[in-house]
Amino acid sequence: MANSGVADYQLRVDVARTVQLEADAEYANDSVAGANVLALTTAGNQRSGTIAGTIMNGQSGNVDEDYLNLGTVQAGETILLSIRLPLSSRLRPVIEIRNAANQVVNVTANPSDAVGRADISTAGSYYAVVVARGGQGHFGQYLLDAAIQPTSDLNFSDLVVASIVAPTSAASGQTINFGWTVGNFGAVATPVASWSDRVVLSYNEVFGDEDDFQVSLVPHAGALPVGSNYLAQASVDLPLGLSGRFFVFVKTDAANNVPEFIFEANNVRTGDT
């Protein structure tokens, strides 16, 4: 490695066990022509696979995009994509599904940018494209789960927190109100009729690390049909002595009672207060 000057450098080593690792030397996979081929395993009528990648910082005017070749997809099949983030990741990912002409084909009402679905009507080569709306660089890691199967076989629910209403300021010891909306953006109604939504405050933008603390666990009763939603709310007494900026997270189906196929990772949404 040529030394271009005295500076602080970071060396990052990615270890991927049981999953494929992207190859992106010098932004090589940022186009249809340079796409990495995603290895898919066939089980019955379904093909699926997982790949680990990183969205790097741009360089010399180049913005990093990861193109992943999903192979030939037949008319009547559906492409399903979902991103999981390692706990150390700061990436805010966006998924696109593109055809061989580099046209975006995924159209979905899902409010999560980290999932994608395309019901294919024209057979051809298709690509998963991962881009960032923030957090790229040394901590821009992700895991992409992909599945392709006949549209007629889709049988999953997908619970998503579509919106959060929270106060922008509060005082320790004060009672504050949170509200949120949860929708089912999957293919079938939820097969179970009860779960709980978890409300968490955090000192940072990472859900699930050591500084999170739960402030409410709100039960929900009733199966949720596709395309339907419900409103939930909680009144929370803030602990005395609490100070600083906090981020609000709501995780629907906190105990993962509802089977959601590859879409468990998009159950969390953040707001801040």
Side-chain angles (χ1 to χ4, degrees):
M1 181 177 68
N3 186 354
S4 59
V6 176
D8 292 328
Y9 293 89
Q10 291 182 330
L11 174 65
R12 193 194 75 240
V13 178
D14 291 330
V15 178
R17 295 185 176 92
T18 73
V19 297
Q20 184 179 352
L21 185 64
E22 66 147 345
D24 192 16
E26 300 296 330
Y27 307 97
N29 69 348
D30 64 351
S31 66
V32 166
N36 294 160
V37 176
L38 177 55
L40 299 176
T41 300
T42 300
N45 290 331
Q46 182 185 105
R47 307 187 297 283
S48 62
T50 299
I51 190 168
T54 300
I55 301 297
M56 300 180 294
N57 282 319
Q59 181 177 334
S60 301
N62 190 8
V63 176
D64 191 23
E65 304 169 291
D66 287 352
Y67 276 70
L68 306 166
N69 189 341
L70 302 173
T72 300
V73 183
Q74 302 298 328
E77 291 188 312
T78 290
I79 300 170
L80 302 169
L81 304 175
S82 180
I83 280 185
R84 292 176 284 148
L85 298 179
L87 194 58
S88 61
S89 178
R90 298 298 181 266
L91 185 67
R92 290 181 294 171
V94 177
I95 291 181
E96 298 174 344
I97 302 171
R98 293 178 175 261
N99 60 19
N102 207 26
Q103 298 167 322
V104 176
V105 298
N106 56 309
V107 179
T108 175
N110 198 309
S112 173
D113 291 331
V115 303
R117 169 180 170 175
D119 299 332
I120 302 305
S121 58
T122 303
S125 297
Y126 289 86
Y127 302 81
V129 182
V130 183
V131 297
R133 57 184 177 87
Q136 62 269 30
H138 290 292
F139 298 100
Q141 291 79 34
Y142 65 86
L143 287 167
L144 173 68
D145 297 313
I148 302 170
Q149 63 187 77
T151 304
S152 58
D153 289 353
L154 298 180
N155 63 351
F156 63 91
S157 304
D158 182 17
L159 295 179
V160 180
V161 180
S163 63
I164 299 175
V165 177
T168 56
S169 62
S172 66
Q174 181 181 350
T175 299
I176 59 175
N177 297 313
F178 298 105
W180 59 95
T181 303
V182 176
N184 180 2
F185 295 87
V188 299
T190 57
V192 300
S194 62
W195 57 87
S196 295
D197 297 341
R198 182 184 181 205
V199 183
V200 166
L201 293 183
S202 174
Y203 283 97
N204 60 30
E205 295 180 90
V206 179
F207 177 84
D209 63 5
E210 66 278 358
D211 67 6
D212 295 355
F213 58 97
Q214 178 177 301
V215 294
S216 188
L217 188 67
V218 179
H220 169 79
L224 194 63
V226 175
S228 297
N229 58 63
Y230 64 86
L231 303 176
Q233 58 184 10
S235 294
V236 174
D237 296 327
L238 294 178
L240 292 172
L242 201 65
S243 64
R245 187 186 185 197
F246 290 86
F247 293 84
V248 179
F249 293 91
V250 176
K251 179 179 181 180
T252 189
D253 187 26
N256 292 332
N257 293 331
V258 180
E260 300 180 64
F261 190 35
I262 62 172
F263 297 109
E264 296 287 0
N266 69 336
N267 286 8
V268 179
R269 189 178 183 90
T270 182
D272 63 70
T273 186

